[in-house]
Amino acid sequence: MRVELLFVTPEAEALIARCARVSHRSQGSGMEDDRRLIRKLINLGHESVLEHAVATFEISGISRACANQLTRHRLASFVQESQRYVNVEDRELVRPPTFSDEDWEKARALFQEAKKLYQALLSKGVPKEDARFVLPMGIETRLVLTANFRELRHILRLRLHRSAQWEIRELARRMWEILYTCAPSCFEDLRALAETREER
């Protein structure tokens, strides 16, 4: 799994605080003052001002099963690698941590057979959009996600929870680490969720 930040609103915390102060016609006195204001707003549940900052991630090496969960967050914007147009023969299978070595070898053998069938179908002139039907949900994919900070907080609250599926939890944890570095006051209250390991 690879999670790369492509873009984040520059000086996001300063922008959010400035937007928040419009409602009370108040002034700030620097970064720490801005961060105190943001923490207060989050504690009060007034997160709408967080919508003024956005982040864009490129995510690769996750399964299509994980991508399907992620794209359910409708307030985010996505572009996903198309199995309709891209030959995905070079993609690997994502290994669930619950698979024993023996089970993983069996899964990989089945996956190799599926890829052979996929290539055979393509060589017969079957369109990629139809040949892909033989590929498993565990095949790697790649996508770009853009969302505002409020929606990112929503995604992280749900996907960092210990009841979330292991792969999307790991993805959310990596996104949280990046976002916390960029705008700590906007994401620091999610640290406990991010640092909680999944129970099996």
Side-chain angles (χ1 to χ4, degrees), residues 152-187:
L152 286 165
R153 284 179 53 80
H154 172 70
I155 292 169
L156 294 176
R157 275 194 300 265
L158 292 177
R159 302 309 184 169
L160 287 170
H161 193 272
R162 65 178 29 159
S163 65
Q165 184 251 3
W166 63 270
E167 188 180 14
I168 202 161
R169 276 193 78 192
E170 177 59 20
L171 171 58
R173 188 188 64 74
R174 293 183 189 197
M175 290 172 63
W176 176 83
E177 287 176 351
I178 293 167
L179 290 165
Y180 174 73
T181 300
C182 296
S185 65
C186 298
F187 298 97

Side-chain angles (χ1 to χ4, degrees), residues 7 34 40 44 50 73 79 82 91 107 130 134 144-145 182:
F7 173 82
D34 291 348
K40 180 179 178 182
L44 293 171
L50 299 176
H73 294 283
V79 175
S82 173
R91 294 291 177 256
D130 293 336
V134 303
V144 173
L145 172 157
C182 296

Side-chain angles (χ1 to χ4, degrees), residues 32-177:
E32 281 312 309
D33 196 33
D34 291 348
R35 288 178 172 170
R36 272 192 297 278
L37 174 59
I38 291 168
R39 289 181 191 111
K40 180 179 178 182
L41 292 169
I42 289 171
N43 285 334
L44 293 171
H46 299 311
E47 296 187 11
S48 62
V49 292
L50 299 176
E51 295 174 14
H52 293 284
V54 301
T56 300
F57 294 91
E58 183 173 330
I59 301 162
S60 57
I62 61 170
S63 68
R64 293 203 55 107
C66 182
N68 285 356
Q69 293 178 71
L70 191 60
T71 57
R72 291 178 67 192
H73 294 283
R74 298 183 341 223
L75 296 183
S77 300
F78 299 94
V79 175
Q80 186 171 358
E81 180 177 71
S82 173
Q83 286 185 338
R84 187 174 181 201
Y85 297 109
V86 175
N87 183 326
V88 294
E89 198 278 331
D90 64 337
R91 294 291 177 256
E92 293 299 324
L93 193 63
V94 175
R95 180 180 179 168
T98 54
F99 278 27
S100 67
D101 289 343
E102 180 183 352
D103 290 337
W104 178 239
E105 287 310 311
K106 289 178 184 176
R108 282 188 49 75
L110 284 172
F111 180 56
Q112 293 308 318
E113 289 302 312
K115 288 207 300 188
K116 286 178 190 171
L117 178 55
Y118 172 78
Q119 287 301 329
L121 291 167
L122 293 179
S123 68
K124 290 179 183 177
V126 173
K128 292 182 195 81
E129 65 188 45
D130 293 336
R132 66 184 167 170
F133 276 66
V134 303
L135 299 172
M137 291 293 290
I139 193 170
E140 288 179 339
T141 191
R142 182 173 162 226
L143 58 80
V144 173
L145 172 157
T146 300
N148 68 55
F149 281 15
R150 185 183 198 181
E151 179 61 11
L152 286 165
R153 284 179 53 80
H154 172 70
I155 292 169
L156 294 176
R157 275 194 300 265
L158 292 177
R159 302 309 184 169
L160 287 170
H161 193 272
R162 65 178 29 159
S163 65
Q165 184 251 3
W166 63 270
E167 188 180 14
I168 202 161
R169 276 193 78 192
E170 177 59 20
L171 171 58
R173 188 188 64 74
R174 293 183 189 197
M175 290 172 63
W176 176 83
E177 287 176 351

